[in-house]
Amino acid sequence: MHWGVHVPDTPRIHHVQGRLVRVPMTRPLGTSAAVVTHAFLLLVDLQIDGGSVGHGYIFCYGEAPGRAAAEWLRRLAPELQGQSAAPKNLAEWLAPRMRLVGHRGVASMVTAALDIAAWDAHSHACGVSLAQMLGASPAPIRAYNSNGLGLVDAKIAAIEAEVLLEGGFGGVKMRLGRPTLEQDLEAVRAVRRILPSQCHLMADFNQALSPAEASRRCCALDDEGLAWIEEPVRHDDYATYALLRTKIRTPLQIGENFQGPSAMAQALALRCCDYVMVDVERIGGVTGWIDASGLAAAHDVELSSHLMPEVSAQLLAASPTRHWLEYVDWATPILKRPLEIRDGYSVPHEGHGTGVEWNEDAVRAFLVE
Ligand SMILES: [Mg+2]
């Protein structure tokens, strides 16, 4: 009872389990920041009263942050027992526990993994998919293939790009930020030549350049038919993005590093990018994504996803300005039913929740003890 008003009970958290797996990637990813050969994924199972179990996973960028997130979750698990499983209540419960360390990095991984699993558990309990839980119909989402195409030689990039179109993808993303502009240009031209004309080519610098070098390279790349140029400079240098946007016609894409919806609000207020892409982990799980997709809609800006395509496909279905699903197959080996791409679109999940369920044999094989 609260001020004499009856407040109906929400389901409580019964049990939480976190596991870290190290999954080999089909195609190692060489970006301007690091070469990644294995995906460290934090898997969360969250059981609520009534027996429904929600699943969620987070890409952890490396072993050390993955281990830290898993350990943090292990210590939180006993305290979480008996807490409200409603995602908004869970967020309020977690916020003060993350405040001193700062709501980013490992703290953000733990929070988002729990949030995604809680939403999944509720969707299962209600007998609907996550997209339906958010008021949308499951929908096919246009996907580009973001596997591979790291900082490799132009000839190798062209061969790889052709292979990546299998599955009918309407776009692929290549990484840029080679030692010289000429090498980047050569690679872009080699890949563009091999792709069908209707195929979209995205390019990602992973924050490699100084403002001056970004201006030089982006202007030089402006006539190469790129669908977007992603993160040429430091992710939060919004002043440089705003200036860059006035110099080129190619759309500027940022957002995978928005740490919560307020970062997106700042970027949109400054009109420093043409498109935004959201990472379900950094933005604050499903709960953060809902706010972010509302912001993008209010600004009429196209919203794409970053990594974790299984849950992102459902979230994009519920996002009014949905644009592209970034497809990577990094979790495929540990999933019972990996996300399927057909004719360039994600196949909508018809069951309950997010559709994420573990292939337990594979989880055991890749478990980090
Ligand atoms: Mg990126």
Side-chain angles (χ1 to χ4, degrees):
M1 299 294 277
H2 184 65
W3 290 351
V5 178
H6 175 67
V7 179
D9 267 350
T10 52
R12 304 264 143 197
I13 295 173
H14 189 71
H15 181 70
V16 175
Q17 171 183 245
R19 291 175 290 179
L20 183 68
V21 290
R22 177 181 183 268
V23 186
M25 289 158 66
T26 334
R27 293 169 185 281
L29 180 64
T31 72
S32 60
V35 178
V36 187
T37 58
H38 288 76
F40 284 88
L41 308 176
L42 175 66
L43 317 185
V44 172
D45 303 296
L46 185 148
Q47 187 181 8
I48 62 175
D49 292 344
S52 293
V53 182
H55 308 289
Y57 82 84
I58 290 299
F59 175 65
C60 296
Y61 296 89
E63 179 167 3
R67 280 185 183 273
E71 173 63 12
W72 199 338
L73 196 66
R74 193 180 66 75
R75 290 180 187 221
L76 275 177
E79 275 190 86
L80 280 161
Q81 249 173 50
Q83 299 298 330
S84 167
K88 298 254 178 188
N89 295 355
L90 184 56
E92 282 170 18
W93 185 86
L94 282 167
R97 287 163 176 80
M98 305 295 183
R99 195 171 294 138
L100 292 181
V101 70
H103 205 273
R104 62 183 73 83
V106 173
S108 160
M109 289 173 192
V110 172
T111 305
L114 284 167
D115 179 88
I116 294 167
W119 275 98
D120 189 40
H122 278 283
S123 309
H124 280 285
C126 294
V128 294
S129 68
L130 178 63
Q132 289 169 313
M133 192 79 186
L134 300 176
S137 302
I141 308 293
R142 188 163 63 146
Y144 68 90
N145 200 342
S146 201
N147 290 298
L149 280 186
L151 295 179
V152 291
D153 178 76
K155 286 193 191 75
I156 296 171
I159 295 165
E160 201 166 285
E162 203 167 22
V163 176
L164 290 172
L165 291 181
E166 284 167 16
F169 285 98
V172 293
K173 183 154 89 187
M174 65 187 300
R175 276 75 196 173
L176 298 182
R178 289 167 178 77
T180 67
L181 161 64
E182 289 67 32
Q183 288 167 308
D184 272 344
L185 258 177
E186 191 192 353
V188 167
R189 286 173 180 165
V191 171
R192 187 66 270 181
R193 256 198 309 275
I194 213 88
L195 295 177
S197 58
Q198 75 279 9
C199 187
H200 298 257
L201 176 60
M202 292 75 171
D204 189 354
F205 277 105
N206 296 99
Q207 313 180 63
L209 310 175
S210 69
E213 185 62 8
S215 177
R216 195 171 81 92
R217 292 207 193 190
C218 291
C219 289
L221 287 164
D222 211 13
D223 293 321
E224 300 300 322
L226 295 172
W228 71 56
I229 297 176
E230 188 174 323
E231 289 195 326
V233 299
R234 208 183 70 197
H235 70 88
D236 56 356
D237 185 358
Y238 299 151
T240 293
Y241 281 111
L243 187 62
L244 212 49
R245 197 177 170 217
T246 64
K247 294 184 179 176
I248 60 170
R249 296 178 310 279
T250 309
L252 270 178
Q253 172 73 281
I254 65 167
E256 68 180 72
N257 283 294
F258 288 151
Q259 197 74 64
S262 59
M264 184 198 270
Q266 284 176 38
L268 290 173
L270 292 168
R271 301 186 184 284
C272 70
C273 56
D274 296 274
Y275 302 145
V276 287
M277 65 193 294
V278 170
D279 180 288
V280 66
E281 179 251 299
R282 291 191 173 125
I283 207 68
V286 174
T287 302
W289 183 298
I290 294 168
D291 292 347
S293 89
L295 274 172
H299 285 82
D300 207 11
V301 170
E302 288 87 343
L303 175 85
S304 296
S305 66
H306 180 245
L307 308 184
M308 295 159 283
E310 299 81 9
V311 66
S312 298
Q314 303 236 5
L315 292 168
L316 283 168
S319 300
T321 58
R322 62 178 165 275
H323 197 199
W324 284 92
L325 175 74
E326 178 177 46
Y327 177 76
V328 289
D329 61 2
W330 302 346
T332 294
I334 52 133
L335 296 178
K336 219 182 235 179
R337 284 183 309 276
L339 183 70
E340 199 186 329
I341 304 293
R342 207 180 293 157
D343 299 330
Y345 284 75
S346 62
V347 176
H349 169 59
E350 285 178 10
H352 303 161
T354 60
V356 167
E357 274 187 81
W358 317 128
N359 170 343
E360 284 294 341
D361 289 342
V363 168
R364 266 190 297 278
F366 298 129
L367 196 63
V368 176
E369 301 287 358

